[in-house]
mmCIF file of all heavy atoms in Angstrom:
data_model
loop_
_atom_site.group_PDB
_atom_site.id
_atom_site.type_symbol
_atom_site.label_atom_id
_atom_site.label_comp_id
_atom_site.label_asym_id
_atom_site.label_seq_id
_atom_site.Cartn_x
_atom_site.Cartn_y
_atom_site.Cartn_z
ATOM 1 N N ILE A 76 -11.292 -2.945 -17.421
ATOM 2 C CA ILE A 76 -12.214 -3.265 -18.506
ATOM 3 C C ILE A 76 -13.594 -3.517 -17.904
ATOM 4 O O ILE A 76 -13.734 -4.278 -16.948
ATOM 5 C CB ILE A 76 -11.735 -4.508 -19.276
ATOM 6 C CG1 ILE A 76 -10.332 -4.271 -19.838
ATOM 7 C CG2 ILE A 76 -12.709 -4.852 -20.383
ATOM 8 C CD1 ILE A 76 -9.747 -5.494 -20.488
ATOM 9 N N ARG A 77 -14.591 -2.866 -18.467
ATOM 10 C CA ARG A 77 -15.951 -3.031 -17.970
ATOM 11 C C ARG A 77 -16.909 -3.284 -19.123
ATOM 12 O O ARG A 77 -16.661 -2.857 -20.255
ATOM 13 C CB ARG A 77 -16.404 -1.763 -17.221
ATOM 14 C CG ARG A 77 -15.559 -1.438 -15.995
ATOM 15 C CD ARG A 77 -16.070 -0.202 -15.287
ATOM 16 N NE ARG A 77 -15.190 0.186 -14.192
ATOM 17 C CZ ARG A 77 -15.249 -0.306 -12.964
ATOM 18 N NH1 ARG A 77 -16.161 -1.216 -12.672
ATOM 19 N NH2 ARG A 77 -14.423 0.094 -12.025
ATOM 20 N N ILE A 78 -17.982 -3.988 -18.823
ATOM 21 C CA ILE A 78 -19.079 -4.021 -19.783
ATOM 22 C C ILE A 78 -19.795 -2.674 -19.702
ATOM 23 O O ILE A 78 -19.652 -1.952 -18.710
ATOM 24 C CB ILE A 78 -20.055 -5.182 -19.486
ATOM 25 C CG1 ILE A 78 -20.649 -5.038 -18.083
ATOM 26 C CG2 ILE A 78 -19.359 -6.528 -19.661
ATOM 27 C CD1 ILE A 78 -21.802 -5.990 -17.813
ATOM 28 N N GLU A 79 -20.550 -2.348 -20.748
ATOM 29 C CA GLU A 79 -21.289 -1.089 -20.742
ATOM 30 C C GLU A 79 -22.669 -1.280 -20.095
ATOM 31 O O GLU A 79 -22.877 -2.255 -19.381
ATOM 32 C CB GLU A 79 -21.398 -0.550 -22.178
ATOM 33 C CG GLU A 79 -20.046 -0.191 -22.797
ATOM 34 C CD GLU A 79 -19.325 0.964 -22.117
ATOM 35 O OE1 GLU A 79 -19.882 1.541 -21.168
ATOM 36 O OE2 GLU A 79 -18.203 1.292 -22.534
ATOM 37 N N LYS A 80 -23.595 -0.409 -20.375
ATOM 38 C CA LYS A 80 -24.881 -0.419 -19.660
ATOM 39 C C LYS A 80 -25.945 -1.245 -20.386
ATOM 40 O O LYS A 80 -25.894 -1.430 -21.601
ATOM 41 C CB LYS A 80 -25.377 1.015 -19.486
ATOM 42 C CG LYS A 80 -24.504 1.841 -18.560
ATOM 43 C CD LYS A 80 -25.086 3.230 -18.365
ATOM 44 C CE LYS A 80 -24.220 4.041 -17.390
ATOM 45 N NZ LYS A 80 -24.773 5.398 -17.166
ATOM 46 N N THR A 95 -23.307 -12.186 -26.293
ATOM 47 C CA THR A 95 -22.316 -11.557 -27.170
ATOM 48 C C THR A 95 -21.788 -10.267 -26.564
ATOM 49 O O THR A 95 -22.554 -9.447 -26.048
ATOM 50 C CB THR A 95 -22.940 -11.261 -28.553
ATOM 51 O OG1 THR A 95 -23.347 -12.493 -29.143
ATOM 52 C CG2 THR A 95 -21.935 -10.582 -29.472
ATOM 53 N N LEU A 96 -20.481 -10.090 -26.636
ATOM 54 C CA LEU A 96 -19.826 -8.845 -26.233
ATOM 55 C C LEU A 96 -19.552 -8.042 -27.495
ATOM 56 O O LEU A 96 -18.894 -8.541 -28.426
ATOM 57 C CB LEU A 96 -18.535 -9.143 -25.485
ATOM 58 C CG LEU A 96 -18.676 -9.994 -24.220
ATOM 59 C CD1 LEU A 96 -17.304 -10.371 -23.668
ATOM 60 C CD2 LEU A 96 -19.494 -9.268 -23.165
ATOM 61 N N VAL A 97 -20.028 -6.822 -27.526
ATOM 62 C CA VAL A 97 -19.926 -5.984 -28.723
ATOM 63 C C VAL A 97 -18.811 -4.957 -28.517
ATOM 64 O O VAL A 97 -18.917 -4.075 -27.659
ATOM 65 C CB VAL A 97 -21.260 -5.273 -29.028
ATOM 66 C CG1 VAL A 97 -21.147 -4.466 -30.319
ATOM 67 C CG2 VAL A 97 -22.395 -6.287 -29.114
ATOM 68 N N CYS A 98 -17.744 -5.055 -29.312
ATOM 69 C CA CYS A 98 -16.578 -4.173 -29.177
ATOM 70 C C CYS A 98 -16.681 -3.032 -30.194
ATOM 71 O O CYS A 98 -15.909 -2.954 -31.157
ATOM 72 C CB CYS A 98 -15.293 -4.964 -29.376
ATOM 73 S SG CYS A 98 -15.102 -6.312 -28.195
ATOM 74 N N ARG A 99 -17.653 -2.158 -29.965
ATOM 75 C CA ARG A 99 -17.901 -1.062 -30.890
ATOM 76 C C ARG A 99 -18.274 0.164 -30.069
ATOM 77 O O ARG A 99 -19.039 0.071 -29.097
ATOM 78 C CB ARG A 99 -19.049 -1.445 -31.831
ATOM 79 C CG ARG A 99 -18.966 -0.845 -33.214
ATOM 80 C CD ARG A 99 -20.017 -1.396 -34.147
ATOM 81 N NE ARG A 99 -21.367 -1.105 -33.710
ATOM 82 C CZ ARG A 99 -22.345 -2.008 -33.643
ATOM 83 N NH1 ARG A 99 -22.117 -3.260 -33.974
ATOM 84 N NH2 ARG A 99 -23.557 -1.646 -33.236
ATOM 85 N N ALA A 100 -17.756 1.324 -30.447
ATOM 86 C CA ALA A 100 -18.018 2.537 -29.669
ATOM 87 C C ALA A 100 -19.503 2.882 -29.655
ATOM 88 O O ALA A 100 -20.001 3.463 -28.687
ATOM 89 C CB ALA A 100 -17.216 3.704 -30.250
ATOM 90 N N ALA A 102 -22.025 0.715 -29.656
ATOM 91 C CA ALA A 102 -22.798 -0.480 -29.305
ATOM 92 C C ALA A 102 -24.112 -0.066 -28.657
ATOM 93 O O ALA A 102 -24.167 0.877 -27.863
ATOM 94 C CB ALA A 102 -21.997 -1.359 -28.346
ATOM 95 N N PRO A 103 -25.201 -0.765 -29.003
ATOM 96 C CA PRO A 103 -26.499 -0.415 -28.405
ATOM 97 C C PRO A 103 -26.532 -0.785 -26.921
ATOM 98 O O PRO A 103 -25.689 -1.548 -26.438
ATOM 99 C CB PRO A 103 -27.486 -1.263 -29.203
ATOM 100 C CG PRO A 103 -26.680 -2.437 -29.662
ATOM 101 C CD PRO A 103 -25.294 -1.912 -29.917
ATOM 102 N N VAL A 110 -24.081 -7.123 -24.913
ATOM 103 C CA VAL A 110 -23.773 -5.862 -24.235
ATOM 104 C C VAL A 110 -22.449 -5.334 -24.787
ATOM 105 O O VAL A 110 -21.596 -6.117 -25.246
ATOM 106 C CB VAL A 110 -23.681 -6.052 -22.695
ATOM 107 C CG1 VAL A 110 -22.413 -6.817 -22.302
ATOM 108 C CG2 VAL A 110 -23.728 -4.714 -21.957
ATOM 109 N N GLY A 111 -22.279 -4.015 -24.786
ATOM 110 C CA GLY A 111 -21.013 -3.422 -25.221
ATOM 111 C C GLY A 111 -19.927 -3.578 -24.168
ATOM 112 O O GLY A 111 -20.202 -3.894 -23.000
ATOM 113 N N VAL A 112 -18.676 -3.357 -24.574
ATOM 114 C CA VAL A 112 -17.549 -3.382 -23.634
ATOM 115 C C VAL A 112 -16.734 -2.104 -23.807
ATOM 116 O O VAL A 112 -16.699 -1.518 -24.899
ATOM 117 C CB VAL A 112 -16.633 -4.616 -23.826
ATOM 118 C CG1 VAL A 112 -17.363 -5.892 -23.478
ATOM 119 C CG2 VAL A 112 -16.091 -4.691 -25.242
ATOM 120 N N SER A 113 -16.053 -1.692 -22.733
ATOM 121 C CA SER A 113 -15.315 -0.430 -22.756
ATOM 122 C C SER A 113 -14.009 -0.525 -23.532
ATOM 123 O O SER A 113 -13.500 0.483 -24.014
ATOM 124 C CB SER A 113 -15.028 0.020 -21.321
ATOM 125 O OG SER A 113 -14.189 -0.924 -20.670
ATOM 126 N N TYR A 114 -13.445 -1.720 -23.640
ATOM 127 C CA TYR A 114 -12.145 -1.918 -24.297
ATOM 128 C C TYR A 114 -12.388 -2.533 -25.671
ATOM 129 O O TYR A 114 -12.635 -3.729 -25.796
ATOM 130 C CB TYR A 114 -11.268 -2.811 -23.425
ATOM 131 C CG TYR A 114 -9.954 -3.227 -24.053
ATOM 132 C CD1 TYR A 114 -9.133 -2.318 -24.730
ATOM 133 C CD2 TYR A 114 -9.504 -4.544 -23.946
ATOM 134 C CE1 TYR A 114 -7.932 -2.704 -25.294
ATOM 135 C CE2 TYR A 114 -8.291 -4.945 -24.489
ATOM 136 C CZ TYR A 114 -7.519 -4.021 -25.167
ATOM 137 O OH TYR A 114 -6.319 -4.412 -25.724
ATOM 138 N N LEU A 115 -12.298 -1.690 -26.702
ATOM 139 C CA LEU A 115 -12.641 -2.147 -28.051
ATOM 140 C C LEU A 115 -11.594 -3.117 -28.607
ATOM 141 O O LEU A 115 -11.880 -3.890 -29.521
ATOM 142 C CB LEU A 115 -12.806 -0.941 -28.979
ATOM 143 C CG LEU A 115 -13.807 0.135 -28.513
ATOM 144 C CD1 LEU A 115 -13.989 1.183 -29.590
ATOM 145 C CD2 LEU A 115 -15.137 -0.486 -28.112
ATOM 146 N N GLY A 116 -10.393 -3.081 -28.050
ATOM 147 C CA GLY A 116 -9.345 -3.998 -28.507
ATOM 148 C C GLY A 116 -9.484 -5.408 -27.973
ATOM 149 O O GLY A 116 -8.647 -6.279 -28.269
ATOM 150 N N LEU A 117 -10.550 -5.669 -27.205
ATOM 151 C CA LEU A 117 -10.724 -7.008 -26.635
ATOM 152 C C LEU A 117 -10.810 -8.077 -27.723
ATOM 153 O O LEU A 117 -10.352 -9.213 -27.527
ATOM 154 C CB LEU A 117 -11.990 -7.034 -25.762
ATOM 155 C CG LEU A 117 -12.230 -8.287 -24.924
ATOM 156 C CD1 LEU A 117 -11.122 -8.473 -23.899
ATOM 157 C CD2 LEU A 117 -13.591 -8.217 -24.221
ATOM 158 N N VAL A 118 -11.357 -7.711 -28.893
ATOM 159 C CA VAL A 118 -11.481 -8.698 -29.988
ATOM 160 C C VAL A 118 -10.128 -9.216 -30.444
ATOM 161 O O VAL A 118 -10.027 -10.332 -30.971
ATOM 162 C CB VAL A 118 -12.232 -8.095 -31.208
ATOM 163 C CG1 VAL A 118 -13.701 -7.918 -30.908
ATOM 164 C CG2 VAL A 118 -11.592 -6.797 -31.659
ATOM 165 N N LEU A 127 -13.755 -15.814 -19.899
ATOM 166 C CA LEU A 127 -13.822 -14.427 -19.453
ATOM 167 C C LEU A 127 -14.636 -14.370 -18.162
ATOM 168 O O LEU A 127 -15.665 -15.042 -18.042
ATOM 169 C CB LEU A 127 -14.466 -13.540 -20.520
ATOM 170 C CG LEU A 127 -13.766 -13.529 -21.885
ATOM 171 C CD1 LEU A 127 -14.525 -12.617 -22.857
ATOM 172 C CD2 LEU A 127 -12.320 -13.093 -21.758
ATOM 173 N N LEU A 129 -16.622 -12.098 -15.239
ATOM 174 C CA LEU A 129 -17.378 -10.864 -15.086
ATOM 175 C C LEU A 129 -17.706 -10.627 -13.617
ATOM 176 O O LEU A 129 -17.860 -11.587 -12.850
ATOM 177 C CB LEU A 129 -18.682 -10.942 -15.893
ATOM 178 C CG LEU A 129 -18.518 -11.152 -17.409
ATOM 179 C CD1 LEU A 129 -19.817 -11.638 -18.021
ATOM 180 C CD2 LEU A 129 -18.069 -9.863 -18.070
ATOM 181 N N ASP A 144 -16.282 -7.330 -34.920
ATOM 182 C CA ASP A 144 -16.252 -6.592 -33.663
ATOM 183 C C ASP A 144 -17.149 -7.235 -32.591
ATOM 184 O O ASP A 144 -17.559 -6.592 -31.640
ATOM 185 C CB ASP A 144 -16.674 -5.137 -33.887
ATOM 186 C CG ASP A 144 -18.048 -5.016 -34.549
ATOM 187 O OD1 ASP A 144 -18.761 -6.048 -34.636
ATOM 188 O OD2 ASP A 144 -18.409 -3.901 -34.966
ATOM 189 N N ILE A 146 -17.761 -10.680 -29.969
ATOM 190 C CA ILE A 146 -17.216 -11.872 -29.310
ATOM 191 C C ILE A 146 -18.394 -12.707 -28.831
ATOM 192 O O ILE A 146 -19.108 -12.318 -27.903
ATOM 193 C CB ILE A 146 -16.316 -11.495 -28.115
ATOM 194 C CG1 ILE A 146 -15.158 -10.597 -28.570
ATOM 195 C CG2 ILE A 146 -15.775 -12.748 -27.432
ATOM 196 C CD1 ILE A 146 -14.375 -9.986 -27.423
ATOM 197 N N ARG A 159 -21.868 -1.845 -16.017
ATOM 198 C CA ARG A 159 -20.485 -1.417 -15.772
ATOM 199 C C ARG A 159 -19.698 -2.363 -14.867
ATOM 200 O O ARG A 159 -18.782 -1.943 -14.159
ATOM 201 C CB ARG A 159 -20.460 0.004 -15.179
ATOM 202 C CG ARG A 159 -21.085 1.066 -16.069
ATOM 203 C CD ARG A 159 -20.229 1.401 -17.251
ATOM 204 N NE ARG A 159 -18.977 2.045 -16.825
ATOM 205 C CZ ARG A 159 -17.877 2.126 -17.576
ATOM 206 N NH1 ARG A 159 -17.876 1.578 -18.786
ATOM 207 N NH2 ARG A 159 -16.808 2.732 -17.131
ATOM 208 N N LEU A 162 -14.496 -6.839 -16.186
ATOM 209 C CA LEU A 162 -14.268 -8.019 -17.030
ATOM 210 C C LEU A 162 -12.787 -8.350 -17.012
ATOM 211 O O LEU A 162 -11.942 -7.470 -17.176
ATOM 212 C CB LEU A 162 -14.748 -7.733 -18.459
ATOM 213 C CG LEU A 162 -14.653 -8.844 -19.507
ATOM 214 C CD1 LEU A 162 -15.724 -8.640 -20.588
ATOM 215 C CD2 LEU A 162 -13.275 -8.908 -20.194
#
Side-chain angles (χ1 to χ4, degrees):
I76 302 174
R77 298 181 186 275
I78 60 169
E79 296 295 358
K80 293 183 178 181
T95 299
L96 301 173
V97 183
C98 301
R99 211 172 62 228
V110 72
V112 294
S113 63
Y114 173 45
L115 306 186
L117 188 63
V118 288
L127 302 179
L129 300 162
D144 56 11
I146 302 170
R159 300 287 294 161
L162 182 153

